[in-house]
Amino acid sequence: MEWWHRYSQREQRTLLAGGAVLAVFLIYMLLLEPLVDFHQQGKADLETHRELHQWMAQAVAEYRSIGGSQSAPVASSGSVAVAVENALKQSGLPKATRIAPKGQKAVSVSYDSVAFDRLMHTLDKLTLDQGLQLAQFQASAVGDERKGMASVEFELERAQ
């Protein structure tokens, strides 16, 4: 503390004022600015996800309107999982992250990243050609949604 007393009272006040300004600047730059940036990025991400959700909802509505949920009956023999797996391979889609049979009449499929439009086309073919129906469907954008990649989980079952 001896070094402090070497300065005149006027210099001490100047140093205190400079220290206060520096403290306020550091608090702003290290705490407030990152929080504001994080908040703005979150708002932008939310808007992007809302737009993607709206687009996906329209795609699903279009899929259903062209007859995706109405299908011809499939033969009662054979596993749905095998039919779905074969159709996915033939469509040129990448290998699914998970394919889990649910008995002989249903299958659950997951993709970490897949071309959404191509998958929708394949699902349309499955429902029309194999007589399956989409029992459950969930998708979210992966990366830049303009590239059309999505993380998808769905369940297909035999039409009743």
Side-chain angles (χ1 to χ4, degrees):
M1 213 52 184
E2 186 177 314
W3 62 271
W4 179 256
H5 294 296
R6 282 188 284 175
Y7 295 107
S8 68
Q9 193 174 18
R10 181 177 168 182
E11 291 172 331
Q12 289 175 356
R13 279 185 283 184
T14 303
L15 286 172
L16 284 174
V21 169
L22 179 64
V24 168
F25 176 76
L26 287 175
I27 287 171
Y28 178 78
M29 292 304 290
L30 296 175
L31 295 176
L32 296 177
E33 181 68 20
L35 286 174
V36 169
D37 287 347
F38 181 73
H39 178 70
Q40 289 175 341
Q41 183 63 39
K43 286 172 67 174
D45 288 349
L46 178 62
E47 184 60 31
T48 300
H49 285 111
R50 282 184 178 155
E51 290 172 2
L52 179 63
H53 179 266
Q54 183 180 16
W55 178 82
M56 285 186 176
Q58 289 173 346
V60 168
E62 181 181 336
Y63 167 76
R64 288 186 176 151
S65 73
I66 60 173
S69 63
Q70 300 173 352
S71 53
V74 70
S76 60
S77 63
S79 168
V80 171
V82 172
V84 169
E85 193 168 2
N86 288 338
L88 292 174
K89 282 180 190 175
Q90 291 173 355
S91 71
L93 288 168
K95 184 174 168 80
T97 306
R98 182 180 61 84
I99 297 179
K102 294 189 169 191
Q104 290 289 314
K105 296 185 177 191
V107 63
S108 175
V109 181
S110 296
Y111 280 98
D112 288 337
S113 180
V114 66
F116 187 77
D117 289 341
R118 183 182 243 176
L119 177 65
M120 293 304 289
H121 177 73
T122 302
L123 289 176
D124 187 41
K125 276 191 69 131
L126 273 168
T127 57
L128 294 173
D129 297 347
Q130 298 291 326
L132 301 175
Q133 64 185 13
L134 200 56
Q136 185 178 19
F137 185 86
Q138 183 177 358
S140 60
V142 173
D144 185 0
E145 71 278 350
R146 290 175 283 185
K147 294 181 181 175
M149 300 302 285
S151 171
V152 179
E153 292 183 16
F154 60 91
E155 185 175 315
L156 287 165
E157 63 187 13
R158 284 195 202 283
Q160 300 297 324

